[in-house]
Amino acid sequence: MSDPAPQPGSITARALAARGGAVAATNVPWLEGLNPEQLRAVETLDGPVLVLAGAGTGKTRVLTTRIAHILGTGRASPGQIMAVTFTNKAAREMKQRIGGMIGSAVEGMPWLGTFHAIGTRILRYHAELAGLKSSFTILDTDDQIRLLKQLIQAENIDEKRWPARQLAAHIDRWKNRGLLPDQVPASDGVFANGRGVELYEAYQERMAVLNAVDFGDLLVKPIKLFTENPDILADYHRRFKFLLVDEYQDTNVAQYLWLRLLAQGTDETKPNICCVGDDDQSIYGWRGAEVDNILRFERDFPGATVIRLERNYRSTSSILATASHLIAHNEDRLGKTLFTDMVAEDSEEKVTVASAWDSAEEARAVCEEIESLQTKSHPLNEMAILVRTSAQMREFEDRFFTLGLNYRVVGGPRFYERQEIRDALAYLRVIAQPEDGMAFERIVNVPKRGLGDTTVRKINALSRDQDMSPLAAARLLSETEEIRPAARTALRKLIEDFDRWRGNLDTLPHTELAEIVLDESGYTKMWQDDTSPQAPGRLDNLKELIRSMEEFENLAGFLEHISLVMDVDSAEQEDAVTLMTLHAAKGLEFDTVFLPGWEEGLFPSQRSLDENGKAGLEEERRLAYVGITRARKRAKLWFSSNRRIHGLWQSSIPSRFLDELPVDHVDVIEQTSSYGGYGARGYGNYGASRFDKPLEMDSAYQTPGWKRAQAARSTGKRPSSGPMTIEGELVARSVSTKASSFALGDRVFHQKFGYGDVSLIEGNKLTIDFDKAGRKKVVESFVTPHNQAG
DNA sequence: CTTTTTGAGCTATGT
DNA sequence: GCTCAAAAAG
């Protein structure tokens, strides 16, 4: 996300004043205190502008001030500015800061948001043109994989050899490049011997039936919409006078196309585009980001003004020198040099590198430092531990827990990803959007209703055959004799329940409805009867969920929010250490930053090296750069000689990045106590050879008495649904309008009942007199015509 | 149909 | 080490 601008009243303000580069009092209050480059970035309103903003150079400040300036000078109204960010956090922060500058006008900035949020907005508005109903659901990764799995199975492709996960990755990659099924180059047909594209197509068709989109669609579909409907695009050209893009280095091809379409316009309606970014902080290449976009800006937008922000307001000179020296090892960069003119204080600390025997020891040592800083009255809020992978978090959490140290995990297992929350949401999704088959499937048998694999399989087969939603298929099935009586009764009951709940959608407040649903479905009871230790916590979470719904006007609004905003707004102001991944840390800053796990294979990640070679290494290095530059006063790097990978202990060697740090600005800490040794200069004598003092086995290895509340495993995202206008009859209609391909008296064959004659046709439900089984009601797709001639 | 057992694979990073 | 999926048992 974006770099917070200097905090007023802190070092920064003083530094600014001392520098003389700052702009003296202007008649425009928001421009005060900007340095000349920042001022230029804010005031150059006409024509394309690229702001290359290094870490801690006041990037967000420039962006927000620019918006304030546009509004303040009356160049545009809030609705005429589109401002795109990558994360919700960034969007939220910008809203806040603009609000702080110019008052409440931010409320009226409907087009400030993430690419995905704005894409959703556009799609809902023109849903029909995209082949959707505006109530469409956004599938999360979990739903996506489940759906793909079904499709793979339906195609009789070996799921072991061609896992759904992998297909999802392919599709994601295609969408990131803005490719629709028919545009995928043949050379990309590696999945399932070239059938990947076929599956991609089937996937899109299936999602259309489910009235759903995935994250990629939120970018791809608006592009398609704009290309196919120039008049609509022209509307947007007329609407937007200014286009602002944060973190431009992170845009992928699809986002680039999206922006380019919007930035075109005619001479009179061409919006002024301003992109802000830092090629050195491009860390999302694996997600399809093209650093090239930023490198190519001047060619894409002729006559562009390029402004460099290199004056850093955040970190000490040691930290800056360390980070700069490291990043200089990258070859592919535009090249910027950060500098500070803050006077180095005597107390300035060098960046430190320390080692530990193993990861538990590392966690212990880091926590010791944290506690020691805490006793010197450093707030925990000003400390962060930044790890490469979330798997590293566990050991720190264990440690925090035993010490009773307050901590918060950012981007860890998120509230909306918890099982009970997802289940509850699935119920609500089905109510709000009956086509949402993925949600329906999730809870058909939760709590257990005797609707097992077989039934679900039948529902799915039918729904795929007939291009109808699973709920519609279930409804149909429950009226026939395809499934066993017990299951049939249960299914009918469930469908009746859903009908009733949906009937209450407009009459009851949505929170109350949610309570009723959880209650009547037996979901609450399921957890009440559960004796596992987590059950009470889950019930609490459900209550919390209901509580969080109160902030929203209706169910649709709530579901929309969580589908895009996976993190629950942590309003907790409690003093706590922050624990998060390096990726999540972008845009944040702390006085003290701990960077554990600087070992070859882990950081840089082996996988990154294997898959992307030099480019991968450079991205890892940028990640290291991002990590170090998060620190204002203290950056403390660690590596440990032994680490458990996939459950096996492996000895590790220090990261090459450690060798790339400038000796003058880095202190290598010789561990006084137990930990693995590490020579004063060379990083050579790491390793298993040296630990002078026996480890304190008791504390380092005591069994973690608790497990992390929720395994961080699920990569799922949250789906949602839209407006509450649900017409229940749509389902029924879509079913009955299809003409039956059978005629009265036709001779047919059924897998289970054998041969028979059609005696009645209702839509696609057939009543058949079977030779052996007697008269049965059956859905059309379960019978095949019997060849009379044969 | 549900529960338990066994076995395989796996780990980045996030909208 | 941990989780999920398929297989086996109840």
Side-chain angles (χ1 to χ4, degrees), chain A residues 201-219:
Chain A
E201 203 164 358
Y203 170 67
Q204 292 304 116
E205 279 166 17
R206 189 69 185 138
M207 280 205 294
V209 173
L210 299 172
N211 193 27
V213 299
D214 64 15
F215 270 102
D217 285 338
L218 296 177
L219 302 174

Side-chain angles (χ1 to χ4, degrees), chain A residues 421-546:
Chain A
I421 301 301
R422 295 178 54 107
D423 287 342
L425 288 171
Y427 274 101
L428 300 176
R429 276 164 64 189
V430 177
I431 292 168
Q433 216 275 104
E435 269 91 10
D436 192 337
M438 301 318 289
F440 178 70
E441 201 178 290
R442 185 182 174 94
I443 44 77
V444 238
N445 203 27
V446 181
K448 302 254 184 310
R449 302 188 169 88
L451 300 169
D453 239 24
T454 339
T455 317
V456 173
R457 223 180 283 268
K458 275 189 180 146
I459 294 176
N460 274 327
L462 180 60
S463 95
R464 254 200 318 280
D465 277 4
Q466 302 288 322
D467 278 348
M468 59 170 78
S469 73
L471 180 63
R475 190 185 299 273
L476 205 57
L477 217 49
S478 72
E479 290 167 21
T480 71
E481 287 157 57
E482 272 310 316
I483 51 176
R484 306 208 331 241
R488 194 166 34 190
T489 320
L491 196 54
R492 270 192 203 152
K493 163 87 165 58
L494 182 67
I495 290 168
E496 273 168 28
D497 283 344
F498 270 117
D499 287 343
R500 189 177 63 253
W501 293 327
R502 194 169 310 123
N504 288 332
L505 193 53
D506 296 317
T507 48
L508 289 176
H510 58 293
T511 47
E512 204 171 305
L513 178 63
E515 276 173 332
I516 290 174
V517 170
L518 292 182
D519 196 34
E520 292 183 356
S521 63
Y523 193 75
T524 316
K525 188 163 187 309
M526 178 179 106
W527 288 118
Q528 281 164 350
D529 294 346
D530 192 312
T531 51
S532 68
Q534 301 104 308
R538 295 190 194 271
L539 286 165
D540 282 346
N541 287 338
L542 289 172
K543 280 193 197 121
E544 175 62 32
L545 177 72
I546 307 266

Side-chain angles (χ1 to χ4, degrees), chain A residues 14-63:
Chain A
R14 264 184 283 126
L16 263 171
R19 171 170 313 124
V23 170
T26 342
N27 47 351
V28 196
W30 51 80
L31 296 181
E32 271 172 46
L34 294 178
N35 69 35
E37 301 83 40
Q38 291 175 329
L39 188 66
R40 201 160 145 248
V42 167
E43 288 190 316
T44 312
L45 292 182
D46 296 302
V49 177
L50 174 66
V51 181
L52 289 171
T57 54
K59 178 170 58 104
T60 305
R61 177 155 194 209
V62 163
L63 263 179

